[in-house]
Amino acid sequence: MRIVKLHTTDSTNDYLKSLAKEEKLEEDTVVWALEQTNGRGQMGTKWSTSSGKNLTFSVFRKIQQITIDQQFYALMAASLAVKDVLKKLLIKNVSVKWPNDILSDKKKICGILIENVIKKGELNAMIIGVGLNVNQTIWEDVPKATSIKSQTGIHFDLQEILNLLLEQFHHYVKMLLDGNLDTIKKEYEAHLFRKDKPSTFLNTNKEQFVGIIQGVTDQGRLILLEEDNKLKEYDLKEIQLLF
């Protein structure tokens, strides 16, 4: 494994993509930045953290054994890896807010962004970007944020947390490559935030409605049981969970 450690970069995902164009990357090349000035989340949202207090890194991984249609399984696997590490660190009430946020006590502690490398119409590799709040305890204009230190009162070494995460990523990558997709999906669904509970959502027309999260499709669409007792599927752009 190769780890490229940077003091500052705009985005570890973007840095890794540029690196992949310049050279043939070895498996599990990691770019880790102490400060990320233009970190991104799903749908172009920003990921902002204090310099040197949190983990912002990206991993390049060849993963040709799964298809483009199965790419959401990689996000599920990465979410479970983070969840496992947080539980090892005795973080309480860890859940996955669909599709890619990890929560502790209903507050965001981690975000994941996966970008695909497509070659000749097939999935060739993935860049897995992770932003994990570790030692930061104060946020401006982010009321629903928390960190490992906020939850435990303990100041952690970033390298140690990174090593734990990479080890757990390897565990789930092996599951992906071995074809244990059903196990990954069941585990992901079991830890979905607000699963099986009536919840309020906002649709694209800014209308609120009530639904009960049942799970996700293989492609990552959220399955809701709605008031008419019918199951409906939604993409990320179509609804927002209010909590």
Side-chain angles (χ1 to χ4, degrees), residues 10-206:
D10 54 352
S11 160
T12 54
N13 267 32
D14 289 347
Y15 187 96
L16 201 43
K17 281 190 288 186
S18 297
L19 202 61
K21 291 177 181 178
E22 296 171 2
E23 57 185 90
K24 185 176 181 180
L25 294 181
E26 61 182 81
E27 280 287 80
D28 297 331
T29 297
V30 179
V31 172
W32 169 24
L34 295 178
E35 182 177 8
Q36 192 172 230
T37 59
N38 192 32
R40 291 177 289 114
Q42 289 281 6
M43 297 177 62
T45 57
K46 299 296 182 183
W47 179 265
S48 180
T49 63
S50 293
S51 176
K53 292 185 177 181
N54 304 307
L55 264 178
T56 50
F57 68 96
S58 298
V59 183
F60 176 88
R61 193 46 157 99
K62 289 275 190 180
I63 197 154
Q64 298 161 318
Q65 288 85 345
I66 64 175
T67 66
I68 292 177
D69 199 46
Q70 296 171 324
Q71 59 188 289
F72 190 73
Y73 280 91
L75 181 56
M76 289 193 279
S79 299
L80 292 174
V82 174
K83 181 267 300 178
D84 286 355
V85 169
L86 291 176
K87 287 195 170 183
K88 286 180 181 178
L89 298 173
L90 303 181
I91 304 300
K92 297 179 180 178
N93 301 318
V94 178
S95 58
V96 181
K97 179 177 171 288
W98 175 83
N100 67 322
D101 287 342
I102 311 300
L103 307 183
S104 171
D105 284 334
K106 301 181 181 179
K107 293 184 177 182
K108 183 173 178 176
I109 195 169
C110 180
I112 301 168
L113 177 66
I114 293 184
E115 297 183 88
N116 299 319
V117 178
I118 308 295
K119 290 189 177 179
K120 298 180 179 178
E122 295 184 351
L123 186 62
N124 178 265
M126 288 184 168
I127 295 175
I128 306 167
V130 177
L132 175 63
N133 296 333
V134 180
N135 293 318
Q136 185 173 346
T137 56
I138 299 174
W139 288 264
E140 294 182 7
D141 303 321
V142 188
K144 292 182 179 179
T146 190
S147 67
I148 296 175
K149 185 174 181 177
S150 294
Q151 294 295 311
T152 64
I154 301 171
H155 187 93
F156 281 86
D157 179 81
L158 296 181
Q159 180 75 61
E160 289 182 10
I161 303 294
L162 177 63
N163 291 342
L164 288 173
L165 286 168
L166 294 176
E167 180 181 348
Q168 206 61 22
F169 280 162
H170 289 156
H171 168 73
Y172 280 101
V173 166
K174 187 177 186 306
M175 289 183 67
L176 280 174
L177 301 184
D178 288 345
N180 295 324
L181 303 184
D182 288 344
T183 302
I184 290 172
K185 185 179 176 183
K186 287 178 182 177
E187 185 75 5
Y188 176 87
E189 290 180 323
H191 288 86
L192 275 175
F193 178 62
R194 301 291 303 172
K195 186 174 187 290
D196 297 326
K197 298 177 182 178
S199 303
T200 303
F201 295 85
L202 192 68
N203 64 23
T204 52
N205 296 322
K206 303 301 181 183

